[in-house]
Every structure is written in structure tokens, then in C-alpha cells.
Amino acid sequence: MSKESYIILKNNSLPVDFTEIPVLEYALFSDLVKLLLKEDFRHCVAYYAFEEDQKLKFLCCIADDQSHELFVFSHEAGKNGLSLKSLTPECPQMQNFEREIHENFGVQFEGHPWLKPVRYAYHRADQSKVMDNYPFFEIESAELHEVGVGPIHAGVIEPGHFRFICNGENVLHLEIHLGYQHRGIENLFLEKENPLQRCILAESIAGDTAVGHALAHVQLMESLAGITINKRLQIERCIALELERLAVHIGDTAALCTDVAYQLGQVVCEALRTTIINSTQLWCGNRFGKGLIRPGGTNYPLNETVTDHIEKVLEDTGKRFIKLTDLIYSLPSVLSRFDGIGIVTKEQSQTIGTVGMAARTTGIPRDVRSSHPFQYYQSYKVEPVLTHSGDVLARGMQRNLEARQSIHIIKELISEWQKLSDELQLPDYHYQLKPNSFAVSMVEGWRGEICHSAITDERGRVIHYKVKDPSFHNWMALALAVRNQEISDFPVCNKSFNLSYCGFDL
């Protein structure tokens, strides 16, 4: 593997001159991707295309979780009638990346087994491909039947269609069809040149991950603008991220209890989640942390009143949550609905390139806080929590253990914060981005790896902005989890992942 074939970046490092990114012939590009992804400790963070000088430029970023490095390289080709040999047959984790490029630019990937639309972007290459003629996989058989769920669901959840092929109650295949609310988020990052508007946009990518996506965006802008922040603010951002993780894990535990009719677990966890999000509201005026993360500084610096409140809440909520989860995960009625249900194996997880919780529940230690540390995690080491059975029980227990870990982390981060001098940094909305540059920013949100990247032109304007939510990797894991399960197990399997419709459907 020639070092002239790629450049190496670190997460949230200084940007690089875009012209320094090697441009390879596609055959060499393809060989390099295959070579890098042979190792289980590497995975594709981003692979996308954009138009430049009447050509398509393809940019690939592969993460090495052992060396903490990001390998960046590219290839380019003409816009019209382009056909490339697909990487997916040998590197299945590339399937969604290639499908997205196909949808957006009409590139044909020869040999791709599943070359279907991903999001139905308004600027998609083939306008004849619409939601109503999506080519669902079919099996002709008098013994099989299909079950369609959605796109409209009960309550207020996002639209998405689930098409099951079943033999009786047994699920043979699930195909997940998303893209009903495509908002054009990535293009809006180009249209909205006001830095504050961009922050608000980032917070709106996925409402349950407002802190995670805002932090990924802010890190990216600070990298491109050469803005440095002090350790005190870094700690505050990490505390906000852990509060978000804790709140969602407790809330998801409530939802899992709902799906197996364990009402005590549901109502207590719902109440405990409220204590966490109310602490965030006390801090910045918004329960989900909106307004808290801003480039270069903050309008809501942490203070002793807020930290005292957080510590008291964590002490009380922590004890109650531990007591309750000890009960939840010892009840035979709950365990019978969790244990052995919706299994995703480690091999499957590696093959499709899962990230975050979905990876860690199969024993894969994929956690950006430790593998590609950012903010104060560069100084404060986080050991990934692992479970191994890959079933609903593992995904429930993962939330339990990670919630306990977040409580511990927040307490220690507050202690570190208290040792530092009060050096206030206010937001900077007048920054200038470095011209002709590329930068990448990764954050470990509660679902897993969030990645934002951007390219600037000769005037320092953003000409391409790319967002990847962890759900982009993990929806396929849900489809695998329900195979050979009874269709009645789908709700609890789905909730055990709790993937994002809107985070996927940008």
C-alpha cells in the first residue's frame, strides 16, 4: 500500500489542501479500498461524489480504529453514462455508499446486488424513480405472503415502509424503504452561509441527537477556520454529549419495557429520563441541548449552580436506574422476550460495517471517543462498553451499562472542569474558512459514529457538505436481526436499535 495513494488525517485535525488528496485511477482506487477493508479494525466513514469542473469527483475516507488515522483518497470520471465496477460484492459495507452515488448522479455500479434508491433526493439523477414504484424484492410462492408496515405509523414517529416476506409468522426477509421526508439538509448547508443558521440546521438533523450533530458541525467549522478552544469548554461539550447519551439510553429502556408490557419499567424510566433532560434545560434553556454548542465558544457556560444540580440528579437518578435495571434484567418475563431474539452476529456486523451500539453489542469495540478521540476525550480515556450476544438482550444491556458509564464520566468530567480557571469563550460567528480545503469531523453520538465533512473553494466558501448519521450504517443490521424471527418480534427488535429515519433521510 503506497503512501502516495492517500493522505492521513486525524479526527478534527487541521484541514488539508484539497489538491493534496491523491486522485487515483479507478482500478487502483478499488484495490486500495479492498486492501484497507480487509482488516476488521477499519471501516468506511464516507464515500461520496460531487461535481467539479464538469467532472465527478469521488472522495473516500476510511478509518483505522487502531492507529486512530483516517485514510483519504479519491478518483474522478466524466459525468455522463458512467459505469464502474462495484465494490459491494467484495466489500458489502460499501453498498449504501454506492447506492447513494447511483441515485444522485446516475453512476452504474456493475455487479452491485441491490442498486436501488436510498433517499429520493429532489435532485436525483433519475426523476422517474419515485416512492410509489420502488422495486421491492419479491419471492413467488403460494406458501409465502407479504406484510407491509408503514409508511404512516401510530403516534408521531417518522415515516418509513417495512416490507416483510413471511412463511406463516416466520420472517424470511425484510426490506426497509425510507426517504419519505427528504429535506435537502446537505444543500441547505451551502445555501445558509450564516454561521448561526448552520448551527441551527445541524441541531435539526436528528432531534434526539441535537448535541451530537451540532458538535460534529462546530468541530468541522472550527477546524476549517483555525479556531482553538480551551479545555474548560471542551469538557463542557463532552458533559453535554454524555447527558444526551444518558437521557436517550434511559428513555429507550422505557420503550423496550413498553414493547414487552412491563409497565413499571416503562413509567419509572420515563420519569428518570425527564430528570436528565430537565438538567440540560436548566443549563441552556432547552431540554435537548439546542443552543448550547456554538463555534468558538458558548452562550451558556457551565457554572457551579448547574454542576451542583447535575451531580445531585445523577446521584439520585443513578441509584434509581441501577435498582430498576437490576430488576428488569432479572425478570423471567422480560428476559424471555429479550434473550435470543433478533440476533446479529459479529461476522454480520463486521461485514455490513455497523457502528456505535450496534457494533459494540456484537463485541466490536467501535467507539469514536476511544478510536478517534475528540474534544476532551483526547485527554480523558473512555473504554468502550461491550456485549457479545448481538440480540435484543445485548442491546438493552448495552444501554444499561453505557448509561452507568455516562454517569461516572460526567461526574469525573465535572471534577476536571472544577480544576480549571474560568476562561469564558463566546461564540464566533464571523470566522473565515480556509480556502481550497477539506476537513472531516467525527463524534460518537449515542447511536454511534457521526461524521461531517466539507470542502471549500478559493474564496473559503463551503461548496460541498456531507453528513453521515450512524443509522446510515445500521439499518441493514435491523433487516438481518428479524430474519427467521416471528413477525411479532419486529417491534421489540426495531426499538432495540432505535435508528433514525430523519438522520438517514437527510
Side-chain angles (χ1 to χ4, degrees):
M1 184 169 60
S2 170
K3 290 189 177 180
E4 290 76 32
S5 301
Y6 55 83
I7 60 171
I8 294 177
L9 296 179
K10 294 281 190 176
N11 183 23
N12 198 32
S13 63
L14 292 174
V16 295
D17 189 315
F18 186 65
T19 61
E20 293 180 4
I21 299 175
V23 181
L24 310 178
E25 294 294 328
Y26 184 69
L28 294 175
F29 174 93
S30 179
D31 288 344
L32 181 55
V33 171
K34 295 172 187 176
L35 180 62
L36 289 171
L37 294 183
K38 277 185 177 180
E39 302 292 347
D40 290 341
F41 51 82
R42 296 193 186 116
H43 69 284
C44 185
V45 171
Y47 176 41
Y48 55 86
F50 59 95
E51 293 186 32
E52 182 188 55
D53 299 329
Q54 301 302 309
K55 294 186 294 186
L56 283 181
K57 186 87 169 183
F58 298 76
L59 196 66
C60 186
C61 182
I62 291 179
D64 187 312
D65 293 343
Q66 289 188 353
S67 68
H68 316 302
E69 295 173 329
L70 301 171
F71 301 98
V72 182
F73 49 101
S74 68
H75 69 93
E76 58 185 33
K79 288 172 54 178
N80 299 320
L82 181 59
S83 180
L84 300 170
K85 187 177 180 181
S86 175
L87 290 160
T88 298
E90 293 185 56
C91 305
Q93 63 174 278
M94 302 299 290
Q95 61 93 13
N96 248 7
F97 295 109
E98 291 187 330
R99 286 174 59 194
E100 181 187 43
I101 294 170
H102 166 70
E103 179 178 16
N104 290 343
F105 299 102
V107 178
Q108 295 297 320
F109 287 97
E110 299 173 13
H112 193 295
W114 208 252
L115 204 57
K116 302 181 182 185
V118 172
R119 297 190 175 109
Y120 292 89
Y122 68 90
H123 59 274
R124 62 191 179 277
D126 187 350
Q127 293 291 323
S128 69
K129 292 182 177 178
V130 295
M131 305 299 290
D132 291 344
N133 64 16
Y134 181 83
F136 283 104
F137 178 69
E138 297 178 345
I139 302 176
E140 293 294 332
S141 171
E143 296 181 356
L144 306 180
H145 66 280
E146 293 184 354
V147 178
V149 178
I152 305 303
H153 304 278
V156 295
I157 67 172
E158 300 279 333
H161 184 87
F162 300 86
R163 182 70 61 91
F164 300 85
I165 298 176
C166 300
N167 184 355
E169 293 295 302
N170 195 50
V171 177
L172 300 183
H173 177 75
L174 165 62
E175 187 163 357
I176 303 169
H177 177 208
L178 305 174
Y180 288 86
Q181 283 191 324
H182 192 76
R183 298 159 290 162
I185 289 284
E186 291 166 337
N187 277 353
L188 287 173
F189 274 112
L190 309 184
E191 296 173 14
K192 306 294 184 182
E193 296 188 3
N194 183 295
L196 178 57
Q197 288 181 315
R198 284 176 175 164
C199 287
I200 295 171
L201 190 62
E203 292 172 336
S204 305
I205 290 171
D208 56 17
T209 317
V211 173
H213 275 288
L215 183 53
H217 168 72
V218 164
Q219 283 186 164
L220 186 62
M221 294 298 102
E222 289 171 347
S223 174
L224 285 165
I227 297 172
T228 58
I229 62 169
N230 60 42
K231 285 191 175 182
R232 191 176 173 98
L233 182 56
Q234 290 180 25
I235 292 174
E236 292 180 17
R237 289 174 172 180
C238 293
I239 291 173
L241 193 64
E242 294 302 328
L243 284 172
E244 181 172 77
R245 190 185 322 279
L246 176 59
V248 177
H249 282 348
I250 295 175
D252 277 358
T253 303
L256 282 168
C257 289
T258 302
D259 277 351
V260 297
Y262 182 48
Q263 190 176 23
L264 176 64
Q266 172 197 346
V267 297
V268 173
C269 283
E270 285 174 349
L272 294 179
R273 168 185 175 270
T274 300
T275 67
I276 304 301
I277 61 176
N278 283 355
S279 299
T280 303
Q281 184 175 35
L282 174 68
W283 183 357
C284 68
N286 184 278
R287 294 187 302 164
F288 305 109
K290 293 185 176 183
L292 184 58
I293 310 296
R294 291 294 181 259
T298 180
N299 290 312
Y300 302 98
L302 202 57
N303 57 58
E304 293 290 346
T305 300
V306 174
T307 57
D308 287 347
H309 174 83
I310 291 174
E311 288 182 310
K312 289 177 182 177
V313 167
L314 292 182
E315 187 67 23
D316 181 63
T317 295
K319 288 179 179 178
R320 293 172 185 267
F321 183 70
I322 289 171
K323 184 177 181 180
L324 180 64
T325 51
D326 284 347
L327 177 60
I328 292 171
Y329 294 107
S330 61
L331 279 173
S333 58
V334 172
L335 294 177
S336 67
R337 295 291 293 117
F338 287 1
D339 190 15
I341 303 298
I343 295 174
V344 178
T345 68
K346 184 175 183 178
E347 181 181 5
Q348 288 174 321
S349 194
Q350 290 280 16
T351 299
I352 64 176
T354 57
V355 298
M357 282 183 47
R360 294 193 291 275
T361 55
T362 62
I364 301 172
R366 192 163 285 162
D367 188 322
V368 178
R369 292 174 296 175
S370 61
S371 60
H372 303 276
F374 56 97
Q375 299 294 317
Y376 196 69
Y377 297 119
Q378 296 176 71
S379 303
Y380 180 91
K381 304 303 179 184
V382 175
E383 187 67 29
V385 173
L386 299 179
T387 50
H388 299 272
S389 56
D391 55 2
V392 172
L393 179 60
R395 293 186 285 275
M397 185 58 70
Q398 189 77 25
R399 287 171 166 79
N400 173 24
L401 299 176
E402 287 193 8
R404 299 183 189 204
Q405 183 188 51
S406 286
I407 291 171
H408 176 73
I409 290 173
I410 294 168
K411 289 179 178 179
E412 291 206 334
L413 289 178
I414 289 175
S415 178
E416 292 295 309
W417 175 87
Q418 290 170 335
K419 299 174 185 176
L420 300 174
S421 60
D422 187 3
E423 184 182 346
L424 176 61
Q425 285 185 285
L426 293 173
D428 179 0
Y429 298 121
H430 303 286
Y431 54 73
Q432 295 294 316
L433 304 182
K434 186 178 179 181
N436 296 317
S437 297
F438 168 79
V440 62
S441 167
M442 296 166 65
V443 165
E444 184 68 23
W446 69 265
R447 278 191 184 93
E449 177 186 290
I450 298 167
C451 181
H452 288 212
S453 58
I455 299 167
T456 60
D457 65 10
E458 67 279 357
R459 295 168 55 188
R461 297 179 305 177
V462 178
I463 58 171
H464 190 76
Y465 197 100
K466 190 65 187 169
V467 176
K468 188 208 66 181
D469 185 86
S471 299
F472 188 79
H473 294 274
N474 292 345
W475 276 109
M476 182 60 74
L478 172 61
L480 294 175
V482 298
R483 286 187 180 179
N484 299 314
Q485 296 292 147
E486 293 187 5
I487 194 169
S488 57
D489 290 327
F490 171 70
V492 73
C493 286
N494 187 21
K495 183 54 64 180
S496 70
F497 285 97
N498 191 12
L499 301 176
S500 178
Y501 298 81
C502 59
F504 181 93
D505 185 20
L506 299 165

